[in-house]
Structure formats: structure tokens, C-alpha cells
Amino acid sequence: MAKNKPVAIAIHGGAGTILKANMTPELEKAYHAELEEALKAGHKVLKKGGSSVEAVQAAIVIMEDSPLFNAGKGAVFTHQKTNELDASIMEGKTLNAGAISNVSHIKNPIKLAALVMTESRHVMLSGEGAEQFAQSQSVEMVKPEYFYTDRRWQQLQKVLKEDPDASKLSEDKDDKYASTSHQQPSQVSTASDKVWPDDKKFGTVGAVALDQDGNLAAGTSTGGLTNKKFGRVGDSPIIGAGTYADNESCAISATGHGEYFIRAAVAHDVCARVKYKGIKLQAASDEVILDKLVKMEGQGGVVGMTPQGEAVFSFNSKGMYRGYVDAEGKIYTAIYEE
Amino acid sequence: MAKNKPVAIAIHGGAGTILKANMTPELEKAYHAELEEALKAGHKVLKKGGSSVEAVQAAIVIMEDSPLFNAGKGAVFTHQKTNELDASIMEGKTLNAGAISNVSHIKNPIKLAALVMTESRHVMLSGEGAEQFAQSQSVEMVKPEYFYTDRRWQQLQKVLKEDPDASKLSEDKDDKYASTSHQQPSQVSTASDKVWPDDKKFGTVGAVALDQDGNLAAGTSTGGLTNKKFGRVGDSPIIGAGTYADNESCAISATGHGEYFIRAAVAHDVCARVKYKGIKLQAASDEVILDKLVKMEGQGGVVGMTPQGEAVFSFNSKGMYRGYVDAEGKIYTAIYEE
């Protein structure tokens, strides 16, 4: 049964250089539609009395299943032409958390992160080990080719062309594509030279929510960096960097140049400023994103939520796919700076 | 040339249930001697005008090379009878950081973490990818058998005996030992039933230092949890959980039940309390370790250092291998509560 306490949800679909010049009206519409669908899915869970952890998952699953965002289905390719996905989730009431890094066969990484939180004794599982754990859980596994999209494949080709070092490396023995191709040559040759409006975007999706019990949650999911090497781990699966939730301060999901977000411990730092300095969430987010990170030259942003259900956005890049549902249930979505 | 500014270093070799009843005078002496050697190595670097990052590495390398601590040589065994090592390091002046997780062929993980910081564009590399990166760096690689110690092998056997689930799993197809044995049966059979004083210790080593330029650094290295599964990652390689350094607040290296340390973002939280609440480092450490973590039932401790070179220890367990060098160069080491 639904209770009468306020509920709230806010999401992001990545921040970075999103250029209107390269955006078609059709694509813009598609982004707004996906953001709206994700918000509706999360909000529906909350209105029914579901938990913020469930709502965060419901919203993120929509974005993971869309090829438009760099998470789940739309994940970018690594240097080895594989897809390695990361995700994390955290519950503000208990500080319980779950995270996975570098998985390649999980359709919805955010669901596996949630299962790590509730069904394992651990917080963070990585690589093949995380997939072994997944096999004991009710989570959908997919073949690597599920993550093939022409757009991401072309992004990798472009980066490899622009980076001579990378091209050289792509021919070496570590080129897994040669032996485990999940991509037909004919598919490659049909690829267009389309320029996407957000090729320089840090692709990540995330959500923060407040449920009827007054509990906050935050979650983040990503396909990482195009052409990433060496089992690089960004901020998305790092509790304290990409994701943090504490009922005593706020819930945060971050998106940006992960290395800077780890070094600045972005998600936890925003919460710590709210908790210890006693400032508002918008001010705390702006201090970290618009001042601290700008000085470090780290690009990106956060979506945050207060224990009262106020959604906050802060980003130092040209745009951030984002949206929230207000107290009356009205849905707002946006892409560029305002 | 040495300058005349104060330098300082402090270390830990893990916290947990260290029982005097199971400690022999010889073993106790050996622990004190190793701690002293590690402190001397780090202090020597600092007195010569070396950086805090170099000093932290020098101290940790001594402990990694000792079979007494769960890091490097003395790393515990995973469920698959392998050794998976983690480490991280951070520089307080720049907030630069490096971390590696789940490596199996790196003699001194702390050195590789430092190379990730200085020689890569990334902060965190994991598993095989991290080892690929290592091959391009001047870092000593070792065969898996380097990490075999009888003591750690027996610890795994004991845990497998006590945990029927774990024993069952050890016979399944994921038992890598069957195919990649780095341990002769004869070695197993010679194993004693010796009870160690710290079988229930959370094994980690760490160091914090202040150099003559007034820069802080922190580093942490571990062999993880005995019998760990699923590519579990603890707090040691997580910037913000196991390690944090910021010249504006403090340097922290943590040791304890990693899952709790990640959820509480221990290292960053201590620094944030110093920075935003304006309290002393000892008070901030005690708030996190003796209050917040105790309420969460998370066992462990931290070693910390102020920008003035004051060493601080805080732990909620029965003991913590630890030590520091005072302003006059005198070395102090300790094991139990005082």
C-alpha cells in the first residue's frame, strides 16, 4: 500500500561535451524520451511504496538497456575490443553497498551490484570472480555480442586511428578480438562515419532516490572509457567516488573523468561537506564540482538528493543528460547548460 | 642535501585479534624487529631529503618482503589457492594516486601502485591488465610460488575445514589449484598445526609520512582475506577507503574488515572531519574508528599523520602492529593495546 510521504528520484545519463551542433532533433528527442522512461520507471516503484534501492535499479535498468547511454547495452569498447562494465549501489539507511568491476556478460550490471550488496558478504567483486558470483544469482547473463553497437565500434576505430600508440598496440598479441570476434566483418564495413554529439562525453548513468520510508539510495553504471586498457577501473564502481548514500547527508551519483573523481573522492566529499560543514547540498556539490574539480581540471558532474527529496545537479562540462520528477509527479529532462 | 625541516613516518602491519597467549617471545621479537626495520628504511629516505611517496614505499617494501605480514611475500591464499594482492598510494600535495587490485605476479605491489600513479593516465588498474602494465615498467615480477608460505597455506586449510560450504566449493571446477599447482604435496604434508597469535587479524601493511618539503603521503598493501572468492576487492586498493592523503588535512592508511572500511569511506572520512569540522586528527580518527565503525561492527584501525608530522594511531581491535619515529629519530614499536 502506498503511504503519503514524499518520494523523489533524479537521474543522469553522463556529462561532458555534448554539442548541439552535432545533435539532430530526432536524437535529442530520443534522449529526452529515454530519460523520461527511466524516471517514470523509478518513480512508479517509489509511488507503490518500493524502496529507493529498487527505484534506483528500475531507472538505471532502462538506461542500461538503451543503446544511447554508455552503460549496459550501449557500453563502449575497450582497447581489446571487449566490453567491460562497472556498477555500484548504496543504501543510505544502513550504508550497505555493492559494486562490481570489469564484467563482460552481465546484461544489467546495476542488478548484480545490488545482489553483491544483499546476497554476499562482500562489497566489491571484480572480473571473472564477479561473473562466477553472478552465476549463483538470478541475474541475466548475455553473450559478449549483446554489447555490440555500431556506434561504439566506430568510436573505438576513431580513437585507434587518432592514437598511433594505441593502433600499434591493437595489433599485438593482446588483441583478443582476433581470437574471440563477436563482430562480423560485414557489420564493420557497413559502419557510417556519423559524428555523434557526445563523442567526448564521459559515459555513465546514475540515479538517486528517496523512498516513502525516508531512505536514500544512489547507483551508478558505466561501460567505462573507449579504448581503455590494463583493466582500468574508473570511479563508477568505487563507493565514495562514483556513488555514496547516507541518510544523514545525501545520495550522490557521479559522472565524469573517473581518475579525478577517485582522487577527489567526489561522492563522499559532497556528503561530508553537507554533514560536517552544515551547508546545503547544492552548495556542497558546487564546491566540489565547480571549484575543487575545476582546479584539478577534472570534468564531469553529479546528481544528488537531500533527505527531504530535493534533487540537485552540478556539472562543469558543456552538458549532462539529466532529469527528475517533482513533488507533483511532473517530469523534467534536460541536456545542455541552462 | 638534507634540509632542516621536520620529517616523520608511521606504519602499521595490520590490526585485529592479536593474542598474547599465542605469541612466543621469539615471534614477538621478530615482529618488533621487522617494524623497526621498515621505519628505519622509510626514515632514512626522508632524512636524505627524499619524498614522502618514496619513504612510504621504502617502509612498505620491507613489510611486503617479510613473511610475517599479509602483504607481498606473506600474502594469504584465496579460495582458489592463489594469491591476489592489492595496494594503493597517494600524494597529499597533488592528490595524485595509484592503485592495483588482484595481481598475482608482482613482488612489491606498492611499487606498482606508485608506477600507476606516475607512469599511467589512470588511478586504478586491476588483474591481468595491471600485470600487463607492469611488464612495461621496471618492477620485479615473480612466479606464483614466491608467495607460498607454510603458515598461510595452513591458514587456508583451517578455514576450508571450518567452512563446509567452502570445502565443497573447493572441489568444484573453479579449483585452479588442480591445474596450476605451485605447491608440492610434500610441502603440504610437512605443515605443522601451529597456532599463530594473529590468525584472526586483518592483514594489511601501511605507512604515512611527511617529507622535508612538507608533503604528506599514504600507502597500503595487502594479500587480502584468507579464502576470499569471486575476485573480492577490499579497502586497501580503494582511494578514500584504505588510503587517503591531502596536505590540507592528513594522511591515512587503514587496516581492518575491508567491507566496513569501504562503506564508511574510512580514510577520506577521517580527513574530511579534520578539514571540515576543524578537529584534531586523533579526535577525527577516534570518531571514525571507535564510534562510527564500532556501531557498524567493523573491526580495525588506522595510522595517520598531520601536516606537522604528528603520528596518530586509532584501533578498535585487540591489537595493531604499529610504530613511528619521533622528532629526535627515536623508534617506537608496539603490538597490543596500551
Side-chain angles (χ1 to χ4, degrees):
Chain A
M1 291 295 290
K3 306 170 200 167
N4 285 317
K5 295 277 184 64
V7 298
I9 185 160
I11 62 172
H12 70 76
T17 306
I18 305 172
L19 296 176
K20 195 157 186 154
N22 296 333
M23 181 73 89
T24 63
E26 293 73 28
L27 190 59
E28 196 169 299
K29 209 175 144 188
Y31 272 109
H32 282 290
E34 291 282 22
L35 291 169
E36 192 173 323
E37 200 194 329
L39 285 166
K40 275 184 183 166
H43 195 247
K44 192 177 159 191
V45 169
L46 295 169
K47 291 301 280 184
K48 276 189 179 168
S51 74
S52 51
V53 165
E54 290 164 340
V56 159
Q57 285 181 78
I60 288 179
V61 160
I62 300 290
M63 293 185 281
E64 283 180 337
D65 287 347
S66 164
L68 292 179
F69 304 99
N70 176 19
K73 173 69 183 162
V76 298
F77 282 93
T78 69
H79 182 68
Q80 281 83 20
K81 303 177 179 68
T82 58
N83 306 94
E84 291 180 353
L85 298 89
D86 304 327
S88 65
I89 195 164
M90 186 162 186
E91 182 180 66
K93 182 187 181 185
T94 56
L95 302 185
N96 279 341
I100 51 160
S101 68
N102 293 331
V103 296
S104 300
H105 301 83
I106 309 299
K107 190 181 179 210
N108 293 109
I110 195 67
K111 286 188 185 175
L112 184 56
L115 288 166
V116 171
M117 174 168 76
T118 57
E119 306 303 318
S120 88
R121 285 178 295 181
H122 301 308
V123 168
M124 187 175 189
L125 304 181
S126 65
E128 283 175 33
E131 301 212 337
Q132 250 181 277
F133 170 74
Q135 282 164 14
S136 68
Q137 303 295 319
S138 55
V139 61
E140 194 173 345
M141 312 278 293
V142 291
K143 291 189 176 164
E145 48 263 42
Y146 169 77
F147 298 107
Y148 176 83
T149 59
D150 192 59
R151 169 188 183 183
R152 300 309 186 188
W153 182 256
Q154 294 308 322
Q155 276 182 348
L156 176 64
Q157 302 314 312
K158 201 175 157 195
V159 172
L160 290 174
K161 234 182 257 175
E162 286 166 2
D163 178 355
D165 274 355
S167 297
K168 194 174 142 278
L169 270 170
S170 76
E171 292 162 11
D172 71 19
K173 66 186 163 75
D174 299 313
D175 188 344
K176 291 185 186 166
Y177 178 61
S179 54
T180 63
S181 169
H182 55 266
Q183 155 67 13
Q184 298 302 317
S186 63
Q187 278 181 267
V188 177
S189 62
T190 60
S192 71
D193 281 337
K194 179 168 174 53
V195 176
W196 287 80
D198 55 0
D199 275 357
K200 294 195 173 163
K201 189 176 66 75
F202 298 102
T204 312
V205 305
V208 289
L210 174 74
D211 65 27
Q212 294 186 344
D213 292 327
N215 292 322
L216 290 170
T220 310
S221 179
T222 188
L225 284 181
T226 295
N227 195 38
K228 86 182 174 90
K229 299 172 210 174
F230 303 136
R232 176 258 188 188
V233 179
D235 62 317
S236 301
I238 305 292
I239 298 299
T243 301
Y244 209 77
D246 180 349
N247 278 2
E248 293 178 12
S249 52
C250 61
I252 295 286
S253 172
T255 168
H257 196 146
E259 278 67 17
Y260 296 90
F261 279 61
I262 293 175
R263 290 165 52 202
V266 165
H268 185 265
D269 197 19
V270 172
C271 294
R273 285 168 196 249
V274 168
K275 203 163 173 174
Y276 306 138
K277 294 177 83 173
I279 59 176
K280 299 244 183 213
L281 179 56
Q282 185 70 59
S285 301
D286 290 348
E287 281 185 3
V288 174
I289 300 299
L290 305 183
D291 182 37
K292 184 178 177 183
L293 272 179
V294 166
K295 283 175 185 154
M296 293 171 76
E297 301 184 4
Q299 225 186 44
V302 292
V303 51
M305 183 154 288
T306 69
Q308 292 74 40
E310 188 201 346
V312 158
F313 301 92
S314 184
F315 55 100
N316 61 32
S317 49
K318 287 287 172 201
M320 181 163 82
Y321 297 115
R322 63 200 186 277
Y324 70 101
V325 184
D326 75 9
E328 282 73 45
K330 197 165 172 249
I331 294 173
Y332 295 86
T333 58
I335 297 178
Y336 314 105
E337 290 178 286
E338 305 221 303
Chain B
M1 291 294 292
K3 306 168 199 167
N4 285 317
K5 294 276 183 65
V7 298
I9 185 162
I11 61 172
H12 70 76
T17 307
I18 305 173
L19 296 176
K20 195 155 186 157
N22 296 334
M23 181 71 91
T24 64
E26 294 73 29
L27 190 59
E28 195 169 300
K29 209 174 146 188
Y31 272 109
H32 282 289
E34 291 282 22
L35 291 169
E36 192 171 323
E37 201 194 329
L39 285 165
K40 276 184 184 168
H43 195 248
K44 192 177 158 190
V45 169
L46 295 168
K47 291 302 280 184
K48 277 187 178 170
S51 74
S52 51
V53 166
E54 290 164 341
V56 159
Q57 284 181 78
I60 289 178
V61 160
I62 299 290
M63 293 186 281
E64 283 180 338
D65 287 348
S66 164
L68 291 179
F69 304 99
N70 176 19
K73 175 67 184 163
V76 298
F77 283 92
T78 69
H79 182 69
Q80 281 82 19
K81 303 176 180 69
T82 58
N83 306 95
E84 292 181 352
L85 298 89
D86 304 327
S88 65
I89 194 163
M90 187 163 186
E91 182 179 66
K93 183 187 180 184
T94 57
L95 302 185
N96 280 341
I100 50 161
S101 68
N102 293 331
V103 297
S104 299
H105 300 83
I106 310 298
K107 190 182 178 207
N108 294 109
I110 195 69
K111 287 188 184 175
L112 185 56
L115 289 166
V116 171
M117 173 167 75
T118 58
E119 308 303 318
S120 88
R121 287 178 294 181
H122 301 307
V123 168
M124 187 172 188
L125 303 181
S126 64
E128 283 175 33
E131 302 212 337
Q132 250 181 277
F133 170 75
Q135 283 165 14
S136 68
Q137 303 295 320
S138 55
V139 61
E140 194 173 345
M141 312 277 294
V142 291
K143 291 189 174 161
E145 47 263 42
Y146 169 77
F147 299 107
Y148 177 84
T149 58
D150 193 59
R151 170 188 181 182
R152 300 306 188 189
W153 182 256
Q154 293 309 320
Q155 277 183 347
L156 176 64
Q157 303 314 313
K158 203 175 156 193
V159 172
L160 289 174
K161 233 182 258 174
E162 286 167 2
D163 179 354
D165 274 354
S167 297
K168 193 175 142 276
L169 271 170
S170 76
E171 291 162 12
D172 71 19
K173 67 185 162 77
D174 300 312
D175 187 343
K176 292 185 185 164
Y177 177 63
S179 54
T180 62
S181 169
H182 56 264
Q183 154 67 12
Q184 298 301 318
S186 62
Q187 277 180 269
V188 178
S189 62
T190 60
S192 72
D193 281 337
K194 178 167 177 53
V195 176
W196 288 81
D198 55 3
D199 275 356
K200 294 197 174 160
K201 188 177 68 72
F202 299 102
T204 313
V205 305
V208 289
L210 174 74
D211 64 27
Q212 294 185 344
D213 293 326
N215 292 323
L216 291 169
T220 310
S221 180
T222 188
L225 284 181
T226 295
N227 195 36
K228 88 183 172 91
K229 299 172 211 174
F230 303 135
R232 176 257 187 189
V233 179
D235 63 317
S236 300
I238 305 293
I239 298 299
T243 300
Y244 209 77
D246 180 350
N247 278 3
E248 292 178 14
S249 53
C250 61
I252 295 287
S253 171
T255 168
H257 196 147
E259 278 67 17
Y260 296 91
F261 280 61
I262 294 175
R263 291 166 51 202
V266 165
H268 185 266
D269 197 21
V270 172
C271 293
R273 285 168 195 249
V274 168
K275 203 163 173 175
Y276 307 137
K277 295 178 81 173
I279 59 175
K280 299 242 183 215
L281 179 56
Q282 185 70 59
S285 302
D286 290 348
E287 280 185 4
V288 174
I289 301 299
L290 305 183
D291 183 37
K292 184 178 176 183
L293 273 178
V294 166
K295 283 175 185 154
M296 293 171 74
E297 301 185 3
Q299 226 186 42
V302 293
V303 51
M305 182 154 290
T306 69
Q308 293 75 41
E310 188 201 345
V312 158
F313 301 91
S314 183
F315 55 100
N316 62 32
S317 48
K318 286 288 171 197
M320 180 163 84
Y321 297 115
R322 63 199 185 277
Y324 71 100
V325 184
D326 74 10
E328 282 74 46
K330 195 164 175 251
I331 294 172
Y332 296 86
T333 57
I335 297 178
Y336 314 104
E337 290 177 287
E338 302 218 304

